[in-house]
Structure formats: structure tokens, C-alpha cells
Amino acid sequence: MNPAPPLAPDAALTSLLAFWAEAGVDTAYAEAPVNRLEAGRRRLDAPARTAAAAVRGETSLVLSPVGGGVGTASAVAIARDLARAADSLEALAAAIAAFELCPLKTMGARQSVFARGRADAPVMLIGEGPGADEDIQGQPFVGKAGKLLDRMLAAAGLEGEVFITNTVFWRPPANRTPTPEEQAICAPFVARAIELVDPKLLVLVGGAAAKAMLGRPEGILSLRGRWSEWTGEDGHPRPTLPTLHPAFLLRQPAAKKQAWSDLMSVAARLDRERGSP
Ligand code: URA
């Protein structure tokens, strides 16, 4: 008798599963135990650690794919090489505009939005990411929230003292919060901008910027108004203050008091850093 022809792979699998089911096997286990609670906890912690690690120049925590065959770790490494090679803010802006590996670039943004303000500003503000107005005009914080921010900076005596950028350089679709991976990929450019501007103080505008730059799990309402330090690859620690986002202030005007107190703290610290009495 001729042996039966080999089963097609799908049929073989179906037949094997049927055999196991008949034998009473109804659950699949791995060889080693898996603590799924622990895995879930790590997933929850990972985003903030990922972006902060990339800002500090570590890529090892960043592993997920960005698409087009390039993983996030590779995108971060390429961004870092490009950012390091930029020896001026103009070169950095050009490198960002030509960079293809941030997924946001393919999600409907019209152009890259890098920065505005004084190239040698003593205070650098880092926001979340461009919105609709910024996407059209190519500059950060030029919409309603940006106008409020400008008024507050002027009232605090900080007009002309700032350089303003964001954690990502392309508008996220429907103004969603940028993902930690998107922030991690843009982070080397942010870090290089800090080195090139060399500000005395950093101000993190809103929860998304504070989380990405500081890698802290707390919300902005508990982080705001508290000074810490941000240290980049140049090893230079910079006093850093998270504050409330002006878009939040437009929705919650009562919180302007806290944002005002943060800006007063920035102005006072700047005076101290400059050696004023
Ligand atoms: N919100 C931000 O965080 N950044 C901008 O540039 C505009 C609005």
C-alpha cells in the first residue's frame, strides 16, 4: 500500500490540534512560568523611561518597530548621529526637516516645526508638539495657546529671553499626544538644540514635555513648580522647571495663578543665575 501523501501545513496543524483536543489538552502553556502582572507593570512604566533615556543618549530601552524596516532604536541612533553633526541651529533645523524616520512625518503633517526665539536665549521652553496653527506656519506656539504663552512671558519680563521648541517636530494627527517612541526619536534633536542654545534654564511646558524630558511618572500638577536638573550628553546639569501648558490654562483659567507663580520663579532664578542681587 502507498503511504498517505503528506498533509499541507495547515491541515497538519489542524489535525494535530484535533488530536490534542481529543486527548483533553485545552490550554497552551510555555515551558517557563510567565508573570503577566509584572510584564503589564513594565509596559506601563516603559514609555516615560523610554523617552527620557533617549533624551539622555541611551537607546537600549527602545525596541519597538517604527515601520519601513527601521526599528525605533535605529531611528534614535540615526537621529543622534545627524543631531551631533549639526554645528549650528540652522544645520539642526535642516537635519530635522530632512529626517524621514519619525512616524509623525507620514501622518499628515505639512512641514517640520522646529523652533523660534533667540538663538542664545538664557531660557529654553520645550512644549509638547505642534498643533494646527504651528503646522501651517512652521513655528512653535503661534496659535491661541502660544499667544497666551507670549503674553505671560512678556508680563513676567521674559520676552526676548526665550528659545521655544517642542518634544516632537511634526504635528500629531488630530492633535493627539505624541507617543513616547515619537518623542524618543526626536529627542536627540531636542538635546542638540539645548547644547547649541546653551540656556541657563529649561522650562518644560505641559505634562507630555515634563514626562519625556524627566522620565518621571507623576502628572504635571504634582511636577509643576518644582525645580530639578536636566543633564544631557555634555554632562552639564541645567536647572529645569515643569509648568502648566497654556492650552490647559485656556480651559482652566483658574490655574493661571500657578503658571504665573512658575514664571515668577523662572524670572527670579534667571536673575540669580546672572548674578543679580
Ligand atoms: N502646543 C505645544 O505644545 N506646542 C506648540 O508648538 C503648540 C501648541
Side-chain angles (χ1 to χ4, degrees):
M1 193 177 91
N2 285 339
L7 290 173
D10 278 358
L13 194 57
T14 310
S15 158
L16 181 62
L17 286 172
F19 168 76
W20 279 343
E22 213 164 292
V25 178
D26 59 5
T27 309
Y29 291 101
E31 303 255 326
V34 177
N35 182 344
R36 298 199 186 277
L37 293 175
E38 174 61 15
R41 194 189 60 71
R42 277 205 311 274
R43 267 202 305 282
L44 289 176
D45 285 354
R49 286 191 291 121
T50 297
V55 174
R56 284 194 306 272
E58 303 157 14
T59 53
S60 57
L61 290 166
V62 186
L63 293 168
S64 58
V66 246
V70 178
T72 303
S74 306
V76 171
I78 293 166
R80 180 164 314 116
D81 287 347
L82 293 169
R84 277 187 189 142
D87 56 7
S88 66
L89 288 171
E90 291 72 25
L92 188 61
I96 291 168
F99 185 64
E100 300 293 339
L101 299 178
C102 178
L104 287 173
K105 193 166 183 177
T106 61
M107 294 181 186
R110 289 171 208 228
Q111 58 183 320
S112 59
V113 176
F114 172 41
R116 69 176 169 96
R118 221 173 102 186
D120 62 346
V123 180
M124 182 157 161
L125 272 67
I126 303 172
E128 176 176 319
D133 295 302
E134 291 74 21
D135 186 49
I136 292 169
Q137 296 184 44
Q139 293 210 316
F141 282 104
V142 290
K144 231 172 148 193
K147 298 227 160 28
L148 172 60
L149 181 65
D150 283 349
R151 286 199 300 278
M152 295 182 70
L153 289 170
L158 293 168
E159 191 177 29
E161 306 277 26
V162 298
F163 180 88
I164 304 180
T165 188
N166 282 305
T167 62
V168 297
F169 307 112
W170 293 270
R171 180 193 181 193
N175 291 342
R176 67 156 166 75
T177 306
T179 67
E181 284 76 20
E182 291 157 357
Q183 290 176 312
I185 290 168
C186 293
F189 297 115
V190 178
R192 185 69 183 135
I194 296 172
E195 282 174 9
L196 289 168
V197 175
D198 195 17
K200 292 181 186 305
L201 307 176
L202 294 177
V203 178
L204 309 177
V205 183
K211 263 194 187 150
M213 297 297 292
L214 301 177
R216 300 273 296 269
E218 299 99 310
I220 188 65
L221 291 176
S222 54
L223 289 175
R224 65 142 286 275
R226 291 206 253 146
W227 287 95
S228 58
E229 278 179 346
W230 183 86
T231 306
E233 278 182 71
D234 61 2
H236 178 167
R238 288 186 169 80
T240 300
L241 187 76
T243 191
L244 301 174
H245 197 286
F248 174 75
L249 301 178
L250 289 170
R251 294 192 303 272
Q252 305 276 339
K256 282 184 186 166
K257 206 167 101 191
Q258 290 156 303
W260 180 247
S261 135
D262 296 344
L263 285 186
M264 290 290 90
S265 179
V266 172
R269 182 93 186 222
L270 184 58
D271 277 350
R272 282 212 304 285
E273 298 285 330
R274 280 172 161 159
S276 305

